[in-house]
Amino acid sequence: MQETEFPWENEGFGASHRGRPGAVLADGTEPKAAIFDLGSGTHFHETSDWWVYDGDTPLAPHATALRGACSCGWRGSTLHPVDWQQVAAEGPDDYDTQGPHADWTWHIADVEHRAVPIPHDAAALSDQLRQRLDALASDAPLAALRLVAVLESSIAEAGAVAARIARADDQPWDTIATALGVTNSEARTRLHRYARHY
């Protein structure tokens, strides 16, 4: 079972662009996922979490550096050396991974730059609605649930129309994915999901 952690997320792009520090070996390659037999029959734990490549974990090679990594497949070009003594002293959760995170942030900025911009007035309305919903969920949860149901219906209808028109243009999936700021697979899933409501 794959259980690699992706601690960095961007709300606008979802699972397509979740980030993490990625381990890099001395030869510049990325190690394969480490597999651990937990003694539970056919179930194995599989992870690419950077901290398992400390040179002491059985069946995991020794990493010398970290770089930004994204679930879309992007990998940062800057290598940040790992101080394993410091990792041992502080623990992996407290170890400074700001360098890889900054590189991933630049990647997300590039994805955002290439995506179709959301009109400012629509973005402002979305922010206001989110704040109002948060407050309503605390103060009047049943009213919030009614509003969510209304919004879900409106979103499904608008999404269906947008998906149908977007596909009518016969644009390549690469173009659609870039415009949405997601992977090709996620773009197909998103458009098909909305198109079902039309």
Side-chain angles (χ1 to χ4, degrees):
M1 180 170 50
Q2 177 73 26
E3 292 186 6
T4 300
E5 294 180 5
F6 286 86
W8 310 327
E9 295 195 16
N10 179 286
E11 186 176 287
F13 301 122
S16 287
H17 294 288
R18 294 180 302 141
R20 65 181 176 86
V24 182
L25 304 179
D27 63 2
T29 62
E30 184 172 320
K32 293 181 180 179
I35 300 173
F36 303 95
D37 182 356
L38 302 179
S40 57
T42 60
H43 298 288
F44 295 91
H45 176 74
E46 183 177 335
T47 183
S48 294
D49 288 331
W50 67 271
W51 46 266
V52 304
Y53 303 100
D54 59 2
D56 293 326
T57 303
L59 304 178
H62 181 255
T64 58
L66 300 177
R67 66 179 171 192
C70 188
S71 57
C72 72
W74 172 89
R75 297 296 184 262
S77 57
T78 303
L79 301 183
H80 304 271
V82 182
D83 182 342
W84 287 110
Q85 289 184 338
Q86 190 173 355
V87 174
E90 297 178 354
D93 289 341
D94 292 326
Y95 185 72
D96 183 3
T97 58
Q98 289 181 34
H101 183 258
D103 297 337
W104 177 79
T105 301
W106 278 106
H107 163 63
I108 293 301
D110 180 57
V111 171
E112 182 76 53
H113 176 74
R114 292 183 291 121
V116 170
I118 298 173
H120 292 295
D121 62 330
L125 281 172
S126 176
D127 289 343
Q128 289 175 347
L129 182 57
R130 178 68 180 267
Q131 291 172 13
R132 184 67 181 104
L133 266 174
D134 287 345
L136 203 57
S138 297
D139 300 337
L142 296 178
L145 288 172
R146 285 198 62 203
L147 180 54
V148 166
V150 169
L151 290 172
E152 284 176 343
S153 177
S154 298
I155 288 168
E157 289 176 19
V161 172
R164 181 178 55 82
I165 294 171
R167 287 307 295 141
D169 289 343
D170 281 333
Q171 296 184 70
W173 283 107
D174 284 347
T175 302
I176 294 171
T178 299
L180 296 177
V182 297
T183 61
N184 282 19
S185 173
E186 174 60 23
R188 288 175 185 269
T189 299
R190 192 173 293 186
L191 263 67
H192 290 314
R193 182 175 68 237
Y194 286 131
R196 286 200 309 266
H197 296 283
Y198 190 75

